[in-house]
Amino acid sequence: MGGKSGHRSLVIGIDCSTTACKAIVWDRQGRAVSEGRASYALLQPEPSWHEQNAEDWWAGACKALNECISQVDAQQIEAICITHQRESFAPVDRNGKPLRNAILWSDERSRAQVMELEERFGRDALHRLTGKPPSMTQSLPKILWLLKYEPDSVFHAFKLCDVQAFLVHRLTGHFRTGLPSADPMGLLDMVNRRWSSELIDALGLRIDQFPDLYEAGAVIGYVGAEAAQASGLVEGLPVVAGAGDGHCAGLGANAIVPGRAYLNLGTGIASGVISANYPCDRAFRTLLAPAPGYYFAEHILRGGVFTINWFIDKFAADLRDAAAPLRPEEVLETAAASAPPGAGGLMLVPYWNNVMNPYWDPAASGVVIGWTGAHGREHLYRAILEGIAYEQRLVGDAMMDAVGQRFREYVTMGGGSRSPLWRQIIADVTGIPVLRSTTTEATCLGAGILAATAIGWYPDVHAAAEAMTSTAERVTPNWDVHAIYDQLYREVYQPLFPAVQPLVDRLTELTQKTFHITHRRSGIESGDYP
């Protein structure tokens, strides 16, 4: 990627994710020309709280941008578009200064507020309005938490900004964002594609406390002089309305054609399919697609590669040797490939970070059954890969029924897509061919596609995605293995969580009582914040 590029038009896609900001310069064919990256800290003031200093988003963006722009001719960059971690938000003053730390999508402080939303508005009514039943992932219950415990940070906020709105303000001076960036917050009227005045008024807030909304791919401002100096961008560069990271991953996989579903095998798993109509079903959440006028039906599993990393940290840390020729995942994959389908009798339900669709249960936890003394870590590793694949079939089948289209293929991206074994297991469990995106940076590419569309490289986002994306290996199901998985799925996996979770809930209840009794005897009192 090194060296200055000459005589070609370029755009920048910038991905402000949970752990880092990455900026990539793309050409007309969707090839990465240069790249910059900057990490930032995750703050945990309490064990289940996840926060960030929103100023780190801007500092990270500037560092990443300066790094990638230094490798090209900045004058040839024609537009920039932002994608980002969804649901994370920051209350800011009229100058865009944060009033407190941003609260992230992964934060779990708002369990009581999820129940309050269901009681006040009704789960089904909120689902129809916003495309999503209330869950701790959304911004909505966290805003409710702030209203209870830190009301000044909300009532005194000039704007409540998603990540894109915060960065767009720094770049242009305007509080503006893309519709597909705002919709995961849980505050939009999805049919009418606008902030829900009904919901916002009921919270005691005002619509003018939220950024102005634009369709993805619209030019929403131009880089100002101060921002240009800080970021290395050229003053006056068009800034294009983007979308959340999951939305842009789907676009970067060209999953905006019927029958092609995206499958992002990242820290969390995100998969979805486009729909011209507004679908609403407990099996998925509904998003505004980064193709204007369309929707995404999307499945989210919060414990994806996260669960694999947990397993390595807790049970295979000895494989983390910097001098070793293979990564721990590669060693475990080789061992797991020798285990038979069904992981030697182990089955795993991958709810390590609770579950959104289809159960929408903030108290859910993971399940592993079938242990014997014959099992080793290769069996559990394979059971993790299979469990996530079973979950993909569970929601994928329901999604296809609700949207009214069959998937002809999954296009995978993200770190997990590098695993040949996992791709084959997904194909064998679901019965659907799996392709690999040629870029692991499909999210950032999706932002680049929107920038390319905005400046007229292509007539619309569909043509841009067709021209700028490609796929590699195609894995087809082994139908003999699929028959084994099909029986395991129908007879064991499907009924497993509903049957076991009431017992897990009771276990949690009893052990929490033990925890509180122990701490009272120790003279430690626990109570609600603050």
Side-chain angles (χ1 to χ4, degrees), residues 203-348:
L203 296 176
L205 301 176
R206 307 182 314 276
I207 284 184
D208 64 16
Q209 287 183 281
F210 294 86
D212 296 332
L213 298 173
Y214 292 80
E215 290 284 357
V219 174
I220 56 175
Y222 300 88
V223 173
E226 187 175 340
Q229 185 174 10
S231 66
L233 296 167
V234 173
E235 184 179 355
L237 184 74
V239 177
V240 177
D245 50 10
H247 302 65
C248 277
L251 179 57
N254 193 20
I256 54 171
V257 292
R260 170 178 275 196
Y262 61 91
L263 178 53
N264 193 355
L265 299 174
T267 302
I269 306 294
S271 69
V273 65
I274 200 164
S275 174
N277 301 313
Y278 176 48
C280 190
D281 192 280
R282 283 180 60 85
F284 52 83
R285 64 180 188 170
T286 308
L287 305 172
L288 297 174
Y294 289 85
Y295 297 90
F296 271 150
E298 186 184 70
H299 156 56
I300 293 289
L301 177 65
R302 288 164 60 101
V305 173
F306 169 91
T307 309
I308 293 173
N309 291 336
W310 162 86
F311 173 77
I312 293 171
D313 290 341
K314 302 297 184 182
F315 301 103
D318 58 297
L319 300 178
R320 291 195 186 279
D321 184 346
L326 298 176
R327 295 180 296 113
E329 295 88 338
E330 294 172 306
V331 176
L332 291 164
E333 176 156 331
T334 299
S338 66
L346 279 187
M347 182 167 285
L348 179 143

Side-chain angles (χ1 to χ4, degrees), residues 149-429:
Y149 294 115
E150 300 178 19
D152 286 352
S153 66
V154 181
F155 289 125
H156 292 170
F158 184 70
K159 297 289 181 183
L160 295 167
C161 289
D162 63 86
V163 179
Q164 180 180 191
F166 183 87
L167 293 177
V168 166
H169 179 261
R170 291 299 170 91
L171 287 170
T172 71
H174 300 297
F175 288 107
R176 295 171 178 171
T177 194
L179 275 161
S181 290
D183 88 72
M185 295 179 74
L187 287 157
L188 257 62
D189 176 336
M190 296 290 284
V191 171
N192 294 302
R193 306 173 80 85
R194 65 190 181 200
W195 295 112
S196 169
S197 56
E198 171 192 356
L199 192 51
I200 290 171
D201 289 349
L203 296 176
L205 301 176
R206 307 182 314 276
I207 284 184
D208 64 16
Q209 287 183 281
F210 294 86
D212 296 332
L213 298 173
Y214 292 80
E215 290 284 357
V219 174
I220 56 175
Y222 300 88
V223 173
E226 187 175 340
Q229 185 174 10
S231 66
L233 296 167
V234 173
E235 184 179 355
L237 184 74
V239 177
V240 177
D245 50 10
H247 302 65
C248 277
L251 179 57
N254 193 20
I256 54 171
V257 292
R260 170 178 275 196
Y262 61 91
L263 178 53
N264 193 355
L265 299 174
T267 302
I269 306 294
S271 69
V273 65
I274 200 164
S275 174
N277 301 313
Y278 176 48
C280 190
D281 192 280
R282 283 180 60 85
F284 52 83
R285 64 180 188 170
T286 308
L287 305 172
L288 297 174
Y294 289 85
Y295 297 90
F296 271 150
E298 186 184 70
H299 156 56
I300 293 289
L301 177 65
R302 288 164 60 101
V305 173
F306 169 91
T307 309
I308 293 173
N309 291 336
W310 162 86
F311 173 77
I312 293 171
D313 290 341
K314 302 297 184 182
F315 301 103
D318 58 297
L319 300 178
R320 291 195 186 279
D321 184 346
L326 298 176
R327 295 180 296 113
E329 295 88 338
E330 294 172 306
V331 176
L332 291 164
E333 176 156 331
T334 299
S338 66
L346 279 187
M347 182 167 285
L348 179 143
V349 178
Y351 298 161
W352 258 239
N353 283 338
N354 68 66
V355 63
M356 292 172 57
N357 55 289
Y359 299 111
W360 302 98
D361 185 351
S365 56
V367 177
V368 186
I369 63 168
W371 281 109
T372 72
H375 290 122
R377 61 186 180 186
E378 69 274 16
H379 296 95
L380 183 55
Y381 189 80
R382 185 176 183 113
I384 292 172
L385 302 185
E386 290 180 345
I388 294 173
Y390 286 132
E391 189 67 12
Q392 189 61 41
R393 176 168 175 184
L394 180 72
V395 296
D397 286 356
M399 195 182 297
M400 288 187 281
D401 290 341
V403 176
Q405 58 175 286
R406 307 304 296 173
F407 299 165
R408 68 173 186 274
E409 59 196 16
Y410 281 116
V411 178
T412 61
M413 73 286 291
S417 68
R418 293 192 295 261
S419 166
L421 175 62
W422 202 2
R423 296 199 307 271
Q424 185 66 60
I425 287 173
I426 291 168
D428 291 342
V429 169

Side-chain angles (χ1 to χ4, degrees), residues 105-137:
W105 64 273
S106 53
D107 185 280
E108 295 187 354
R109 75 187 68 189
S110 58
R111 184 168 298 179
Q113 284 68 43
V114 170
M115 292 185 287
E116 180 182 344
L117 286 166
E118 292 180 3
E119 292 170 358
R120 286 179 61 179
F121 301 102
R123 171 187 286 266
D124 292 342
L126 275 173
H127 192 173
R128 287 191 300 273
L129 177 66
T130 68
K132 309 144 195 76
S135 76
M136 286 190 293
T137 304

Side-chain angles (χ1 to χ4, degrees), residues 20-104:
C21 189
K22 182 174 288 186
I24 300 180
V25 175
W26 302 97
D27 67 11
R28 287 177 180 262
Q29 287 72 46
R31 295 176 297 209
V33 177
S34 68
E35 181 179 310
R37 189 179 189 279
S39 299
Y40 34 70
L42 173 68
L43 307 175
Q44 289 189 272
E46 297 289 340
S48 62
W49 297 12
H50 291 171
E51 299 185 352
Q52 275 170 343
N53 182 348
E55 294 288 357
D56 290 347
W57 299 340
W58 175 239
C62 288
K63 182 178 179 181
L65 285 166
N66 275 291
E67 183 179 343
C68 77
I69 292 170
S70 70
Q71 303 169 54
V72 300
D73 179 357
Q75 296 294 329
Q76 292 182 0
I77 297 170
E78 297 189 48
I80 182 173
C81 182
I82 298 166
T83 183
H84 54 91
Q85 53 175 303
R86 299 180 288 190
E87 294 99 6
S88 302
F89 72 99
V92 302
D93 65 17
R94 64 177 53 252
N95 297 313
K97 297 294 183 183
L99 299 179
R100 72 171 321 279
N101 284 336
I103 301 180
L104 304 192

